[in-house]
Amino acid sequence: MSKRTWLFTSESVSEGHPDKVCDRISDAILDAYLSEASDVRVGCETMATTNHVSIAGEVRGPDSVTKRVEEIARDAVKDIGYDQEGFSWKTMEVVNRLHSQSSDIALGVDEGDKGEEGAGDQGIMFGYACRETDELMPAPIQFSHRILRLMAEDRKSGKQPGFGPDSKSQVTLKYEDGQPVGLDTVLVSTQHSENLTQEEIRELVKPYIKAAFPEGWELPDDRLLVNPTGRFVIGGPDGDAGLTGRKIIVDTYGGAALHGGGAFSGKDPTKVDRSAAYAARYLAKNVVAANLADKCQIQLAYAIGVPEPVALYVDTMGTGRVDTDKLSKTLREMVRLTPRGIRKHLDLLKPIYTRTAAYGHFGREPAKDGAFSWERTDLAAELASTFGVSRAAE
């Protein structure tokens, strides 16, 4: 029987993409509140366009932070690298329309007599993991992020001043029997200095393509597309308006797994759109790391004001080595999946969110300060032991 083959594509966008500028500002504001207090409530949305940023939403936290919102927004834009005529951290107008959290929402979300918080909203959240990369992420999105992250590092260090902050990547991989085996097409569109030609930009991009992929994954020159529309000097919110939460597929699995629809940035951990999506990834990654399955997708569902999830569904997509009903029960016993339980287990009430705003919330290295705690595989050994499975990949 011949091997089944197909192509699959995912995209990423850089920290200077208009939508990502907004995600960054929203998460920077969240981190500022969390730096002052752990019991804050933040639902912060940002919109950006030519030399203008508007910030709106509901918060409960120190007034000292609310008064610094404009400063926080300017610092975020400065760090991204925008100081161009149509969008500059120095001259952009900043409108702050943050206001107090609704008392009706607070009534259902705050801790009750049993010491539990209700979910900050109803909704469904998904987590996913697979064996396509060392990070247990789908390969197309992981490589798409890597290209842009490498470019951004050299741009911000001054090593490659020809790049502007705004860029996008798209990676199409060849698959055989469920595993990526090589490159088909790579697309990179990057903002650039006005004095650079199309061919010069192409040559600047090539080393980053080579560095992003495993050795031996060669890309034919005619399958590398760089700035296919031509000139890309005007970028960021000056070229296209941005909004918080418009890149949810970029933020997660690049379309390789399901998505519940809720955005992450600007939301504190009582919002299960964020914390439960992190928990679902954490559980799915540990299932795969424990060698209980080669792929795992987990769905959580919540009702606003209700602490416990109304459902947990585990799908090992035909790759499982254990009974999924038993696995689902075991996961619920290992991690309390209430908002409070998730927050405590993953230690989420820290100012760790600004760095999640670009290059993906998943597939990142857990940090010593607690960032990306949901990428830990500290449950894997216990899971493997519980089910009597060897952690060595089969």
Side-chain angles (χ1 to χ4, degrees):
M1 183 181 293
S2 62
K3 293 183 177 180
R4 181 171 174 242
T5 64
W6 67 87
L7 302 177
F8 191 82
T9 305
S10 295
E11 72 155 350
S12 179
V13 298
S14 72
E15 63 204 81
H17 184 280
D19 295 329
K20 282 292 153 198
V21 171
C22 295
D23 286 347
R24 171 66 176 274
I25 292 171
S26 293
D27 274 336
I29 291 169
L30 170 61
D31 277 354
Y33 278 105
L34 286 171
S35 295
E36 296 293 328
S38 62
D39 60 348
V40 298
R41 298 289 183 267
V42 180
C44 177
E45 310 286 346
T46 304
M47 186 278 290
T49 185
T50 301
N51 241 12
H52 176 92
V53 167
S54 286
I55 300 160
E58 297 188 328
V59 298
R60 183 168 35 153
D63 289 339
S64 58
V65 177
T66 308
K67 293 174 182 176
R68 292 195 296 113
V69 162
E70 179 175 342
E71 175 190 348
I72 294 165
R74 292 191 189 279
D75 286 346
V77 173
K78 180 181 181 181
D79 186 71
I80 291 169
Y82 277 116
D83 188 16
Q84 60 193 41
E85 183 178 352
F87 194 72
S88 169
W89 67 274
K90 299 174 184 174
T91 59
M92 67 184 191
E93 178 187 25
V94 179
V95 175
N96 178 8
R97 291 291 183 267
L98 292 174
H99 60 87
S100 298
Q101 184 188 47
S102 162
S103 58
D104 288 348
I105 293 177
L107 183 66
V109 172
D110 287 348
E111 287 187 14
D113 295 337
K114 296 181 180 180
E116 285 286 2
E117 301 163 346
D121 202 352
Q122 71 176 52
I124 56 175
M125 300 84 208
F126 288 92
Y128 179 72
C130 63
R131 292 197 180 279
E132 293 182 17
T133 64
D134 291 342
E135 299 86 358
L136 303 185
M137 283 287 288
I141 186 66
Q142 198 70 1
F143 292 138
S144 294
H145 288 322
R146 191 174 299 167
I147 293 167
L148 297 186
R149 192 166 60 246
L150 292 171
M151 290 172 60
E153 287 171 359
D154 282 358
R155 171 182 63 83
K156 297 176 81 170
S157 72
K159 183 178 179 180
Q160 188 44 264
F163 294 144
D166 192 356
S167 58
K168 301 176 74 172
S169 64
Q170 186 171 286
V171 171
T172 302
L173 297 185
K174 302 173 185 176
Y175 280 74
E176 288 185 1
D177 284 348
Q179 287 298 312
V181 296
L183 290 165
D184 180 82
T185 307
V186 175
L187 166 63
V188 175
S189 294
T190 181
Q191 186 183 8
H192 58 86
S193 301
E194 192 166 8
N195 62 331
L196 292 174
T197 66
Q198 177 89 344
E199 187 54 38
E200 287 171 332
I201 290 294
R202 183 182 181 87
E203 292 304 310
L204 290 180
V205 166
K206 281 184 176 180
Y208 299 95
I209 306 299
K210 184 176 179 62
F213 292 97
E215 193 170 343
W217 281 33
E218 300 298 328
L219 178 70
D221 199 59
D222 64 345
R223 302 305 294 170
L224 171 59
L225 307 176
V226 177
N227 285 13
T229 60
R231 178 183 168 93
F232 187 5
V233 174
I234 300 172
D238 187 33
D240 191 12
L243 290 170
T244 298
R246 280 207 299 199
K247 287 292 177 285
I248 56 177
I249 300 303
V250 170
D251 285 342
T252 53
Y253 307 103
L258 297 176
H259 195 292
F264 303 155
S265 289
K267 297 177 181 178
D268 74 78
T270 67
K271 279 74 170 174
V272 284
D273 275 344
R274 183 169 218 158
S275 58
Y278 290 172
R281 161 65 178 174
Y282 174 67
L283 295 177
K285 186 175 183 180
N286 275 274
V287 167
V288 174
N291 201 34
L292 305 187
D294 293 331
K295 295 181 181 179
C296 183
Q297 183 167 260
I298 289 179
Q299 183 200 59
L300 291 168
Y302 290 84
I304 189 169
V306 179
E308 294 284 349
V310 298
L312 183 154
Y313 171 66
V314 179
D315 181 8
T316 54
M317 301 173 155
T319 70
R321 300 179 179 90
V322 299
D323 179 74
T324 53
D325 289 339
K326 182 181 177 182
L327 177 56
S328 176
K329 182 175 183 293
T330 300
L331 292 175
R332 292 193 77 147
E333 291 170 349
M334 294 177 76
V335 179
R336 188 160 177 77
L337 293 170
T338 63
R340 183 183 180 87
I342 294 169
R343 181 192 74 205
K344 291 183 68 176
H345 191 93
L346 297 179
D347 201 11
L348 295 179
L349 284 180
K350 291 182 174 180
I352 56 175
Y353 298 103
T354 296
R355 73 197 83 167
T356 70
Y359 314 118
H361 292 246
F362 308 125
R364 309 284 288 272
E365 188 71 23
K368 291 181 179 179
D369 67 352
F372 303 105
S373 59
W374 49 94
E375 291 297 307
R376 302 188 315 242
T377 54
D378 53 324
L379 301 181
E382 184 179 350
L383 279 169
S385 176
T386 298
F387 286 90
V389 173
S390 170
R391 290 190 63 187
E394 296 181 357

